Amino acid sequence: MATATRLRRLGAAAAIATASGGALIFNQPSFAVNDRGGGPALATVRQKIADSNAVVPPRSVQESALIGASSANPLDVLVIGGGATGSGVALDAVTRGLRVGLVEREDFASGTSSRSTKLIHGGVRYLEKAVFNFDYGQLKLVFHALEERKQVIENAPHLCHALPCMTPCFDWFEVVYFWSGLKLYDLVAGARLLHLSRYYSAQESVELFPTLARKGKDKSLKGTVVYYDGQMNDSRLNVGLACTAALAGAAVLNHAEVVSFLKDEVSNRIVGARIRNNLTVLTFLSEPGQEFDTYAKVIVNAAGPFCDSVRNLADKEARPMICPSSGVHIVLPDYYSPEGMGLIVPKTKDGRVVFMLPWLGRTIAGTTDSNTSITLLPEPHEDEIQFILDAICDYLNVKVRRTDVLSAWSGIRPLAVDPSAKNTESISRDHVVCEEYPGLVTITGGKWTTYRSMAEDAVDAAIKSGKLSPANECVTPKLRIVGGDGWDPASFTVLAQQYIRMKKSHGGKVVPGVMDTAAAKHLSQAYGTLAERVAAIAQNENLGKRLAHGYPFLEAEVAYCARNEFCESAVDFIARRCRLAFLDTDAASRALPRVVEILASEHKWDKSRKKEEVEKAKQFLETFKSSKNAQFHDGKHL
């Protein structure tokens, strides 16, 4: 309990805006307008975020704050999109002392931000291009990505960590080439270095990675070069950003869709948005499908692959900015890769790099890069899944079977074209910020690693557009997200020592169970310093049972996420609050009835809503092409 005690001394619990006497009270950030250096007010917000007793304002308060933003008293910034970039924009803006709202059509991280390779990388491939093409622009991208990688890991230490990645070499030229290139990468990283890269002999490599092939293309393994990048739990990091923004005073609302813009008839400037409540249950002030207006001095479009749809609300003839690319990943059992060591396939048939990485107790492999259409629920094709299987099979001494695929998914990368560019030949993997329509700033492109600096650029543009008066400069480089401040890798021992898991048996009898190492580590790494709150629910409310055999996810997490992380649906939980849908589609399906039962208790769902949640979740899981969901034709996968 020592860790929690230290945190509790940092300050009192966060104040929650309330609706009383018919008056709507906005959850204001705790800044004074003249507090440009940060000062005591900024320290207060840091304390709110760090306080283990802090509670995010509930959905009803968030909704009332948005409805309460009028033309006479508008928000400073309204963000559209609750992915990594949008949530990052909301957090950056609110911690500068601005009044901020955020709306997301589905759920935080429901799109690209939950479907990444889970790497926080410094751009080693950009370094190769910089060297061979004498391209200083590519080198700048590497410097930038390395700096952002370091800050992401430091600001969310419970959700991010360094991961060694092994590159197999089957001739001595490859050894020299990769070793020298990665040593240059170390040199460029400088103070931002995670750990030094190094060469391992063939024998050492096989000891570290037992399934690694000893021979490849009639050549013997000469050794491997290992370097370090970062790894993360992407959707939980995204949800953490949204919750941190809410604690700092932003009004964040998931399952709320912008359907049109409000314009000033004189200046033709966008001054607000009409928003539809997409939840199928009655909320605080609006019914399912009901719409309301909210006003803001500037609107930031951070809708990722869907940013063109938002731009079309302002101009139906808007020139497209997004060139969508499909990235497919698969999840395999843990025995394909050792814990704590990833494998890089340096060159595949189409020239791409494929990763095989340990992640949350399983093995993730990917990715592909192919043209795709933009859809809410992209699905991986069987040929893309087989491409990944073939690519990693070439470097392993065991056969990887299609029947071993526990889950497979597709994510859409929003590769961006600057609409002001003279031609569209060069599609950027960097981000683009533009204001084509007065009052609407669009931020798109980029990558997970650089979400924070992307958000900073977008807020800078919004401040310029709306002539806003922030209380201070950007503080997010050194701002830990909720659960991160005071967290220690050994924190899980406190959970294991001081908590038990009370759970109901099949017969309904309540029985105690130990808070075993796997469950304690999972809670600590998923919730950081707030893990004790989840453990307390497991102990005190008889919700200590595991949701799925072989996985550490507990029933208590469903209740906790419903109360504290804006978890509004079964899919919100199985896909993004816990990662069961991504790790094992069949296990998620088996856990679904219990997840719905607990959420129904928390949100007061009736039988009709429970049935609807089960059906929606089943439809969602069908898009994750595990071996069970694979398509067959004449005994072969389609």
Side-chain angles (χ1 to χ4, degrees), residues 282-339:
L282 182 69
T283 59
F284 178 62
L285 290 172
S286 63
E287 296 179 0
Q290 185 171 326
E291 298 176 0
F292 60 87
D293 293 339
T294 192
Y295 289 81
K297 297 174 185 176
V298 184
I299 292 177
V300 175
N301 171 14
F306 301 95
C307 82
D308 283 341
S309 299
V310 174
R311 292 169 64 242
N312 286 337
L313 296 177
D315 178 6
K316 292 181 180 178
E317 305 300 322
R319 177 178 164 187
M321 288 182 67
I322 297 300
C323 181
S325 170
S326 169
V328 172
H329 297 83
I330 64 174
V331 170
L332 301 164
D334 58 342
Y335 51 73
Y336 281 112
S337 63
E339 184 179 355

Side-chain angles (χ1 to χ4, degrees), residues 152-363:
V152 172
I153 295 173
E154 288 179 350
N155 289 341
H158 55 304
L159 295 168
C160 308
H161 61 273
L163 178 72
C165 297
M166 177 179 282
T167 304
C169 304
F170 289 94
D171 61 51
W172 290 111
F173 172 78
E174 287 183 342
V175 171
V176 174
Y177 180 80
F178 288 122
W179 182 87
S180 57
L182 291 170
K183 281 302 174 185
L184 179 60
Y185 190 55
D186 292 347
L187 183 64
V188 170
R192 301 171 291 270
L193 182 70
L194 297 178
H195 299 284
L196 282 170
S197 60
R198 64 159 294 181
Y199 163 78
Y200 288 96
S201 69
Q203 182 59 37
E204 290 173 321
S205 300
V206 170
E207 290 173 0
L208 288 169
F209 206 112
T211 54
L212 183 64
R214 277 75 163 177
K215 287 186 177 292
K217 298 177 182 177
D218 300 322
K219 294 182 179 180
S220 297
L221 181 69
K222 298 300 187 289
T224 60
V225 181
V226 173
Y227 81 103
Y228 287 77
D229 254 332
Q231 190 177 51
M232 63 178 165
N233 187 335
D234 53 3
S235 72
R236 284 216 54 82
L237 178 54
N238 195 157
V239 170
L241 289 169
C243 290
T244 306
L247 283 173
V252 300
L253 195 68
N254 54 353
H255 301 285
E257 180 179 3
V258 171
V259 294
S260 62
F261 285 132
L262 308 174
K263 292 185 179 181
D264 181 271
E265 294 182 0
V266 177
S267 65
N268 205 36
R269 182 180 177 87
I270 296 173
V271 294
R274 189 158 188 81
I275 298 168
R276 179 189 300 135
N277 166 33
N278 277 345
L279 281 185
T280 56
V281 292
L282 182 69
T283 59
F284 178 62
L285 290 172
S286 63
E287 296 179 0
Q290 185 171 326
E291 298 176 0
F292 60 87
D293 293 339
T294 192
Y295 289 81
K297 297 174 185 176
V298 184
I299 292 177
V300 175
N301 171 14
F306 301 95
C307 82
D308 283 341
S309 299
V310 174
R311 292 169 64 242
N312 286 337
L313 296 177
D315 178 6
K316 292 181 180 178
E317 305 300 322
R319 177 178 164 187
M321 288 182 67
I322 297 300
C323 181
S325 170
S326 169
V328 172
H329 297 83
I330 64 174
V331 170
L332 301 164
D334 58 342
Y335 51 73
Y336 281 112
S337 63
E339 184 179 355
M341 180 65 76
L343 181 72
I344 296 179
V345 175
K347 186 166 285 189
T348 59
K349 296 171 185 175
D350 68 351
R352 283 194 58 79
V353 172
V354 167
F355 296 91
M356 192 171 83
L357 313 166
W359 184 66
L360 300 184
R362 296 295 179 265
T363 299

Side-chain angles (χ1 to χ4, degrees), residues 127-135 177:
L127 181 61
E128 186 179 32
K129 292 178 183 178
V131 171
F132 283 100
N133 300 331
F134 298 100
D135 189 338
Y177 180 80

Side-chain angles (χ1 to χ4, degrees), residues 92 150 157 178 196 200 321 367 436 464 500 569 622 628:
D92 187 311
K150 180 172 181 280
F178 288 122
L196 282 170
Y200 288 96
M321 288 182 67
T367 178
E436 304 160 90
K464 182 179 179 182
I500 59 174
S569 74
E622 285 177 1
K628 183 179 178 180

